[in-house]
Amino acid sequence: MIQRADRLNNVKEYYFSKKLREVAALRNEGKPIINIAIGSPDLNPPASVIEAIQNAVELPNAHQYQSYQGIPELREGIATFYKEKYNVNLNATTEILPLMGSKEGIMHISMAFLNKGDKVLIPNPGYPTYASVTNLVQAEAIFYNLNETTNWLPNFEELEKEDLSKVKIMWVNYPHMPTGAVASKEDFKQLIAFAKKHNILIVNDNPYSFILNEKPISILDVEGAKEVAIELNSLSKTFNMAGWRVGMVVGNAEIIKTILQVKSNMDSGMFFGIQKGAVEAFKLSNEWFKSQNEIYTKRRAIVWEIFDALNCTYNQAIGGLFVWAKLPKGIKSEAITDELLYNKNVFITPGTIFGSNGEGYIRASLCVDAEVLNEVLNRLTTVKI
Ligand SMILES: Cc1ncc(COP(=O)(O)O)c(C=O)c1O
């Protein structure tokens, strides 16, 4: 048997990749499983975006390799979007790199900046990919605690007690997934000051800023942020284009150039039609965000009822595509998740997949039609926990 690489020793298959196989098997047995676990938007992308990709496939250059840096029109669209929505100036030629989804950016950034043994600050709870990619590049994950008492924001006093000398990257993600916590500009200022003091690259992963969030902000809006911070962003949730795979990394030209050094060796450009679709998405008016958020607001009210039925508590003043709920004392996240899956045919996310601080919590997605959420509510009203 050929030995697999050592870099896989600390990396497991992605939770959803494994659990969805189990869900599929249960469905094959005839179980009517409802999935309220995953944040894959079920609503349609804007009509103008669909039309743009349809038109693009007729163009003669649509089928050729595309620029490693994305078409200029897309980078200009991103620059205008950042100016209008976040008040951030970006040079469309040097400070923007389109990505095939922000998830791949996590790998590119890690490969571009981390050597074996370098340390990386990773939120607990947080998006699992930060840690698995850190392990894949054989750097060392240092988990920093987020909890209710600090409203899921970094505790700098605690962080300062760590040996930070080998830390090169700190992942932050506000609005935060899974908790929905939102950072203010003041919070970002503190992060930038911390990064400057310790010479750390901050990467803010910002795919949720337009979902149920009154004031979208970018970490790059903080003065001097470009010296130490970059930002990942995505069209997956903002424009319901998760399967299209389109996002971007923006910030300091030198850093972007370094990331391109990795990325240009890994793919050969993004499909032209997707880029043309993305260009249209960035032109949409605020009506688009309003219409999406009206739907998510209605769905969230039903999810709150679902969590009431489970005797959970939750913070209503949060953003993003999920509701994060605290279980009654003594109930374990994975135990209740399995109970709901096997006894109620409802698949929900256990908080523990986001780290140890997710114990005692569960997460529900708003990417489910209101009617289906009501069916979940029906099924749950008889659950005893
Ligand atoms: C916090 C966070 N970052 C990044 C991603 C990846 O998004 P994309 O579809 O842009 O790769 C997700 C997707 O669920 C996410 O929740």
Side-chain angles (χ1 to χ4, degrees), residues 82-293:
Y82 255 76
K83 181 68 198 163
E84 281 175 2
K85 303 290 188 245
Y86 301 122
N87 193 35
V88 169
N89 290 310
L90 294 172
N91 181 316
T93 312
T94 59
E95 293 185 324
I96 295 172
L97 180 60
L99 300 172
M100 295 185 213
S102 52
K103 190 173 183 178
E104 71 157 14
I106 298 170
M107 176 58 91
H108 297 143
I109 294 164
S110 300
M111 287 185 76
F113 290 99
L114 297 173
N115 290 318
K116 197 172 174 175
D118 282 342
K119 293 185 179 175
V120 182
L121 289 171
I122 293 175
N124 173 13
Y127 185 47
T129 304
Y130 310 136
S132 47
V133 167
T134 300
N135 288 332
L136 278 172
V137 301
Q138 296 179 293
E140 191 185 330
I142 309 285
F143 292 96
Y144 63 91
N145 290 317
L146 302 179
N147 51 49
E148 257 179 14
T149 30
T150 55
N151 194 24
W152 311 99
L153 288 159
N155 179 338
F156 290 100
E157 235 172 80
E158 204 175 280
L159 275 171
E160 291 287 357
K161 288 184 192 144
E162 290 276 347
D163 172 11
L164 300 171
S165 56
K166 289 194 84 183
V167 173
K168 252 188 156 170
I169 290 181
M170 177 177 189
W171 293 97
V172 299
N173 158 229
Y174 293 103
H176 181 243
M177 198 290 300
T179 68
V182 176
S184 66
K185 194 166 169 183
E186 269 316 303
D187 297 321
F188 280 148
K189 274 187 189 163
Q190 259 188 299
L191 271 164
I192 296 298
F194 174 78
K196 285 187 176 171
K197 180 173 168 197
H198 297 285
N199 195 26
I200 293 171
L201 174 66
I202 298 259
V203 190
N204 184 41
D205 185 12
N206 192 14
Y208 295 103
S209 57
F210 294 92
I211 315 286
L212 298 176
N213 181 28
E214 287 282 302
K215 266 194 157 186
I217 58 171
S218 159
I219 196 165
L220 299 181
D221 187 27
V222 171
E223 215 186 306
K226 277 191 199 168
E227 291 163 37
V228 285
I230 54 175
E231 188 159 273
L232 285 169
N233 213 322
S234 172
L235 284 79
S236 294
K237 327 281 174 173
T238 309
F239 299 109
N240 304 331
M241 291 162 70
W244 291 50
R245 310 310 301 134
V246 51
M248 60 268 192
V249 56
V250 300
N252 177 313
E254 270 313 303
I255 295 176
I256 297 297
K257 202 164 123 194
T258 308
I259 299 168
L260 181 62
Q261 210 176 324
V262 174
K263 181 171 160 62
S264 59
N265 282 296
M266 294 187 71
D267 65 66
S268 300
M270 192 192 307
F271 175 54
F272 181 70
I274 291 179
Q275 298 194 61
K276 292 294 273 186
V279 167
E280 289 309 310
F282 288 122
K283 289 182 189 161
L284 287 165
S285 74
N286 285 338
E287 275 309 302
W288 165 259
F289 305 103
K290 210 172 138 226
S291 66
Q292 300 307 292
N293 283 322

Side-chain angles (χ1 to χ4, degrees), residues 14-16 37 122-128 143 176-179 322 324 349-359 361-363:
Y14 196 58
Y15 172 81
F16 284 123
I122 293 175
N124 173 13
Y127 185 47
F143 292 96
H176 181 243
M177 198 290 300
T179 68
F322 304 96
W324 178 247
T349 315
T352 42
I353 73 159
F354 306 106
S356 56
N357 288 341
E359 182 57 276
Y361 293 85
I362 47 176
R363 187 197 78 169

